[in-house]
Amino acid sequence: MNKKNSTKENLETILNENLKLADQINQQEIDVLIHEIKAAKRIFIMAAGRSGLALKMAAMRFMHLGYHVYIVGEIITPAILEGDLLLVASGSGTTSSVLSAVEKAKTQKAKVIAITADAKSILAQSSDNILLVNAATKTDFGISVSKQYAGSLFEQFTLFILESIFMSLWQESGLTKEDLWPKHANLE
C-alpha cells in the first residue's frame, strides 16, 4: 500500500465493499440456510480464525432466539446426529479442520451448509448447500476483489449476513427485545 488513506476513507471502503457483496448475494441460498436453521434439532458451528469468531457471534444470537447451538471443539459439545445442522465457514474452502468436521457430520447424516468464497472448493462440493460470498480469500493479494487485507471482507460479510438472518428469524418469531433478554449472558 503506497497511499495512506484517512480512517474515514478506509471505513467507507469497508462499508462499500460489503454493500457490493450484499447486492450480489443469492437470496435462494439464504432462504435454504434459514429453512435448515429452523428445521434443525440442533445447530453446530465450525470455522477457524476470524471466520470462527463471526460464526460464534451468530451462534450467540441464534441461542438468544431459543435454538440449541453448539460450537464444535468446545468441551461440552455433544455428538452431531441426523437431524442436526453443521454450519461452517471457510473463504478458501480448504481449511482442514473444517473439512474434517464436514466429513464427520456427513457420516452421521447431519445437514451441512458452508459459507465460502469458492463454489468449486472441496468444502463446497462436500456440503449439502452453500452460501457463496464473492469476497477475496486470505491468499488473494490483489485488489480487484477487495482493497482490504487477506480475508477481511469475507469475514465481515459472513458476520453481516448471519446478523441479517438472525434479524429475519427474530422478526418472524414475534419476540421482543425484552423476550430475548433472559437468555443474555449474566455471568460476564
Side-chain angles (χ1 to χ4, degrees), residues 1 3 5-21 143 145-149 152-153 156 160:
M1 278 184 100
K3 179 187 172 207
N5 294 333
S6 71
T7 303
K8 184 178 185 308
E9 289 171 319
N10 289 333
L11 179 58
E12 288 172 356
T13 295
I14 291 166
L15 294 173
N16 286 330
E17 287 183 358
N18 277 282
L19 285 171
K20 182 179 175 186
L21 285 183
I143 60 168
V145 178
S146 177
K147 293 178 183 174
Q148 298 181 63
Y149 178 69
S152 291
L153 179 58
Q156 293 157 2
F160 289 153

Side-chain angles (χ1 to χ4, degrees), residues 145-171:
V145 178
S146 177
K147 293 178 183 174
Q148 298 181 63
Y149 178 69
S152 291
L153 179 58
F154 175 80
E155 298 145 4
Q156 293 157 2
F157 194 76
T158 295
L159 172 61
F160 289 153
I161 197 66
L162 291 172
E163 279 290 313
S164 70
I165 288 170
F166 159 76
M167 284 190 72
S168 295
L169 290 168
W170 176 33
Q171 291 163 349

Side-chain angles (χ1 to χ4, degrees), residues 102-168:
V102 168
E103 184 179 320
K104 183 64 174 182
K106 297 299 287 178
T107 65
Q108 297 299 313
K109 298 186 172 108
K111 289 275 187 179
V112 176
I113 297 185
I115 302 172
T116 186
D118 187 350
K120 296 179 182 174
S121 66
I122 297 168
L123 177 61
Q125 302 308 310
S126 302
S127 300
D128 294 304
N129 297 95
I130 67 167
L131 180 54
L132 184 63
V133 175
N134 291 312
T137 63
K138 63 185 173 190
T139 57
D140 182 348
F141 299 115
I143 60 168
S144 62
V145 178
S146 177
K147 293 178 183 174
Q148 298 181 63
Y149 178 69
S152 291
L153 179 58
F154 175 80
E155 298 145 4
Q156 293 157 2
F157 194 76
T158 295
L159 172 61
F160 289 153
I161 197 66
L162 291 172
E163 279 290 313
S164 70
I165 288 170
F166 159 76
M167 284 190 72
S168 295

Side-chain angles (χ1 to χ4, degrees), residues 37-134:
I37 288 170
K38 290 167 34 176
K41 291 180 185 173
R42 300 174 300 173
I43 302 166
F44 291 75
I45 301 288
M46 170 62 175
R50 288 168 40 113
S51 297
L53 295 174
L55 263 62
K56 285 179 180 181
M57 289 169 40
M60 177 189 279
R61 290 295 184 233
F62 295 149
M63 177 275 297
H64 286 155
L65 282 175
Y67 292 98
H68 298 282
V69 186
Y70 298 96
I71 307 296
V72 174
E74 295 293 326
I75 195 101
I76 61 164
T77 301
I80 194 167
L81 302 169
E82 187 172 359
D84 293 334
L85 170 65
L86 175 63
L87 176 60
V88 297
S90 170
S92 66
T94 61
T95 307
S96 60
S97 58
V98 173
L99 292 172
S100 178
V102 168
E103 184 179 320
K104 183 64 174 182
K106 297 299 287 178
T107 65
Q108 297 299 313
K109 298 186 172 108
K111 289 275 187 179
V112 176
I113 297 185
I115 302 172
T116 186
D118 187 350
K120 296 179 182 174
S121 66
I122 297 168
L123 177 61
Q125 302 308 310
S126 302
S127 300
D128 294 304
N129 297 95
I130 67 167
L131 180 54
L132 184 63
V133 175
N134 291 312

